[in-house]
Amino acid sequence: MSADDMAPEEGPEEAKSSKNAPEPEVEEETVDEIEEGLPESTEPVGVWRAEDTTDNDRLMAALAYASQVVVPVLVPAVMLLAEESKERGFQKYHAIQSLGFLVAAIIYQVLAAIVYCGLSAATGGCLGCVLWVIFLLPVAPAFYYAYQAYQGYYFKIPFLTDFLVNSKWLEMPPGSE
């Protein structure tokens, strides 16, 4: 007898029945059980929703960041000098933080200019054709922060917000635990 003779042959009906065998039961979690394991907020760390903001608050806060690309200082200065805006905590927070961001961007631009000039001179100007992009890097975070402010969020800019708070230039708003 060969090995083929010893193995039982399956007919087409037996092959179908083995494929349609019931799968082992898996306990399904309910939606409530799944949601219990999730954090209550899907907001990133260092970001929290502002309470009691108006459309004007959100627009002015967004303009404080976005205007830093075109006309720096103007919108945040107006926000801090106008009586109505000065009393609005959301606007004041973002006006001060955007001015701090402007100062950080200026420091970055000076350092970028030094790197650009040094590397362009060292390579005979060839690298200068590519390195001009480093001057546009602060634009992306400015627009991102403008978007976050327009969505009605308070947020912390890494290192900058803590520096402003420790220097007593900026007060953390309520609910910023």
Side-chain angles (χ1 to χ4, degrees):
M1 279 192 152
S2 68
D4 291 335
D5 293 337
M6 294 175 69
E9 293 184 22
E10 290 183 1
E13 289 108 28
E14 291 175 2
K16 286 181 187 176
S17 66
S18 65
K19 289 181 183 175
N20 294 333
E23 295 181 14
E25 291 186 27
V26 177
E27 291 183 32
E28 294 185 20
E29 296 182 55
T30 64
V31 174
D32 293 335
E33 290 173 347
I34 293 173
E35 288 179 352
E36 284 177 9
L38 295 176
E40 290 182 23
S41 174
T42 58
E43 297 168 356
V45 176
V47 174
W48 59 100
R49 183 159 295 280
E51 301 295 325
D52 198 29
T53 59
T54 64
D55 289 341
N56 188 37
D57 289 339
R58 295 184 301 120
L59 179 63
M60 291 302 289
L63 286 175
Y65 295 102
S67 69
Q68 300 300 350
V69 176
V70 181
V71 282
V73 180
L74 185 65
V75 174
V78 168
M79 288 170 59
L80 291 173
L81 295 175
E83 288 299 320
E84 182 182 325
S85 296
K86 205 186 311 185
E87 296 169 2
R88 303 292 299 174
F90 187 74
Q91 289 185 25
K92 184 177 179 182
Y93 177 86
H94 286 293
I96 294 171
Q97 189 164 261
S98 71
L99 287 173
F101 177 74
L102 176 65
V103 170
I106 290 171
I107 293 169
Y108 169 80
Q109 294 290 353
V110 168
L111 295 175
I114 292 169
V115 168
Y116 178 82
C117 290
L119 290 176
S120 292
T123 61
C126 294
L127 204 52
C129 296
V130 177
L131 280 180
W132 63 270
V133 175
I134 65 174
F135 293 105
L136 298 178
L137 288 180
V139 173
F143 285 130
Y144 174 73
Y145 296 144
Y147 173 76
Q148 289 287 85
Y150 190 72
Q151 295 300 315
Y153 289 115
Y154 285 109
F155 52 86
K156 287 180 146 184
I157 297 175
F159 305 109
L160 178 66
T161 304
D162 292 332
F163 173 76
L164 293 173
V165 169
N166 291 337
S167 300
K168 306 262 191 266
W169 290 332
L170 183 66
E171 292 180 23
M172 290 304 288
S176 61
E177 294 94 35

